[in-house]
Amino acid sequence: MWDMDGTLIDSERLWDVSLRATARELGGELSARAIASLVGVDIDTSIVVLLGDLGLPATPDRIAWTYERLVELTEELFLAGDVEWRPGARAALQTVRDAGIPTALVTNSLRRITELALEGIGREFFDVTVCGDEVEAGKPAPDPYLRAAELLDVRAAACVAVEDSPNGALAAERAGAAVLVVPCDVPVPAGPRRTFRNDLVGLTARELGAVWRTASERVA
């Protein structure tokens, strides 16, 4: 089960650009602490944090405007094609696909954003896709990973999630999955279900199996 932003593609920086631009249109500047806390979280949480950091009341009208503006700006960046693969990510997707392992894309991004991203990533790499606006609660809640496992018709505990952020790793862990952590923008703390890698270059299906076995042994 693959995370998208910051794991497969370097899109966290696009969200960063959109968040900062939206904050400026609201008359303020996001703090570094707020930006760091928003890595890997869903859009609803992002809006709450953004408005709180700017000291603005989270009124229904302001939330609705911020939501639409944030999505519009992010869509523009994706449509501009200014998205790069994370090191080794495309080859890793192909390796897993060639091994015949069922796969899911599990992202906190909205479906409308994910559809744009999939045009560049390749839909053929995934059997199912789950987006942040298709579950009751996004990461760090386990809901996206539990839904993906359900769609794949497997137990989440039989899966390996590939993640780059603390929130994403926590979501996968809460779902019961083993986690291969490839940090991108922020450090990710260690955990019993977590195995770390600097990047996805040279990742093999055998290594993913080892990640799962190691996590299973640690929590047995």
Side-chain angles (χ1 to χ4, degrees):
M1 299 196 283
W2 303 93
D3 172 54
M4 184 174 74
D5 300 305
T7 299
L8 295 178
I9 56 176
D10 191 14
S11 47
E12 289 288 2
R13 65 187 179 86
L14 302 187
W15 282 106
D16 182 89
V17 170
S18 300
L19 286 162
R20 291 181 185 277
T22 301
R24 284 193 292 272
E25 291 186 20
L26 287 166
E29 291 286 341
L30 273 179
S31 67
R33 177 179 294 181
I35 286 291
S37 73
L38 292 175
V39 174
V41 304
D42 60 81
I43 190 169
D44 292 329
T45 302
S46 296
I47 291 169
V48 171
V49 172
L50 185 154
L51 294 176
D53 193 58
L54 298 180
L56 297 174
T59 62
D61 286 348
R62 184 172 281 119
I63 290 173
W65 182 91
T66 304
Y67 183 102
E68 286 302 321
R69 189 59 181 143
L70 185 55
V71 172
E72 287 171 2
L73 290 170
T74 306
E75 284 180 324
E76 289 173 8
L77 293 169
F78 271 95
L79 286 169
D82 190 23
V83 182
E84 297 179 357
W85 285 96
R86 295 289 298 150
R90 194 181 193 287
L93 285 174
Q94 190 65 60
T95 295
V96 172
R97 186 48 113 194
D98 289 345
I101 300 171
T103 58
L105 182 70
V106 186
T107 175
N108 259 352
S109 287
L110 303 177
R111 172 58 67 180
R112 59 195 271 195
I113 297 293
T114 302
E115 288 298 314
L116 294 176
L118 282 169
E119 292 299 319
I121 295 173
R123 302 172 190 277
E124 67 275 11
F125 288 118
F126 312 104
D127 295 295
V128 301
T129 59
V130 177
C131 301
D133 54 339
E134 297 171 340
V135 291
E136 184 172 346
K139 306 173 189 178
D143 302 35
Y145 280 108
L146 292 173
R147 177 58 177 159
E150 180 184 9
L151 291 173
L152 290 172
D153 195 24
V154 298
R155 295 179 301 111
C159 298
V160 176
V162 187
E163 275 284 356
D164 73 298
S165 71
N167 286 308
L170 184 57
E173 217 167 39
R174 286 172 169 170
V179 190
L180 177 60
V181 181
V182 187
C184 180
D185 290 330
V186 295
V188 179
R193 293 185 182 272
R194 303 177 186 184
T195 298
F196 287 75
R197 217 174 188 276
N198 290 330
D199 53 42
L200 293 172
V201 176
L203 182 69
T204 65
R206 183 184 296 272
E207 186 177 348
L208 286 173
V211 170
W212 180 83
R213 287 191 297 275
T214 298
S216 299
E217 291 167 0
R218 287 175 180 168
V219 298

